Amino acid sequence: MNNLPKLLQLCSQALPVGAYAYSQGLESAIHERHVIDATSAQQWIGGVFEQGISELDLPALLIAYDACDRFDDTTVQALNVYLAASRETQELLLEDVGMGRALDRLLRTLNVDVVGIQQPSFVIQFAMAGRRWDIPALDLAVGFSFSWIENQIAVCTKSIPLGQSEAQKVLSELIEKIDARVTSAQQIALSAGGPLDWQFGQSMPSLAIMSSQHEVLEARMYRS
């Protein structure tokens, strides 16, 4: 429990990393009316979480955490490159790097020892912060998942719009998926091997299309 306040700080929507400024293609999906209500929002967010975040970001988070635990900067650097190569659009890459740089600056301000990375992934910085603050790896993955889901629901609340009660109902349904997906991510991380063996993560064409369309969307609330 001594680590819980630090985990809450790291996962807070008030953390100054700019997460609120991005929709990860969801704004475009709303614009194209693929997401129009609570049901379709739950399906879209749940799909991206299960097929995307929990297949790529969560295993990477756990691998990075382990590497930081062993002071293995080589693996951390290689994983950062792997994540950058796995982002399917420029928008998704710029979001990851932009938030990563913001968290890097914050951690340095808080006197947290971080590995110097020119274009740091947010996932890597999040793992580094968790390890430096002695937050258990699986708890950190749960917090990362909750924060991502909550931010996506916030986009729907502002853009569909979705009522607060409906949003909380969607949140309650989606967080039920977290435990199983973190367990699955742990298995992926354990079996991933070294950098030359990594093959985790998968393509998500619909998300890539929505993200690409969002880059040229004339009127938008969220950054590209």
Side-chain angles (χ1 to χ4, degrees), residues 142-165:
V142 169
F144 183 94
S145 301
F146 179 86
S147 182
W148 182 87
I149 291 171
E150 186 179 37
N151 190 67
Q152 288 282 282
I153 291 175
V155 173
C156 292
T157 303
K158 298 172 186 175
S159 303
I160 290 178
L162 197 66
Q164 294 290 341
S165 296

Side-chain angles (χ1 to χ4, degrees), residues 40-70:
S40 53
Q42 181 175 328
Q43 290 173 343
W44 178 274
I45 298 170
V48 175
F49 176 66
E50 291 186 280
Q51 303 302 319
I53 299 298
S54 62
E55 294 287 329
L56 176 66
D57 297 71
L58 292 185
L61 180 74
L62 296 173
I63 293 171
Y65 185 97
D66 178 67
C68 290
D69 190 41
R70 295 181 285 104

Side-chain angles (χ1 to χ4, degrees), residues 31 41 72 81 100 110 142 152 167 176 185 194 197 200 204 215-216 222:
H31 178 77
D72 183 356
V81 173
L110 298 175
V142 169
Q152 288 282 282
E176 292 295 324
D197 301 317
F200 61 92
M204 299 191 67
E215 292 177 6
V216 295
Y222 299 93

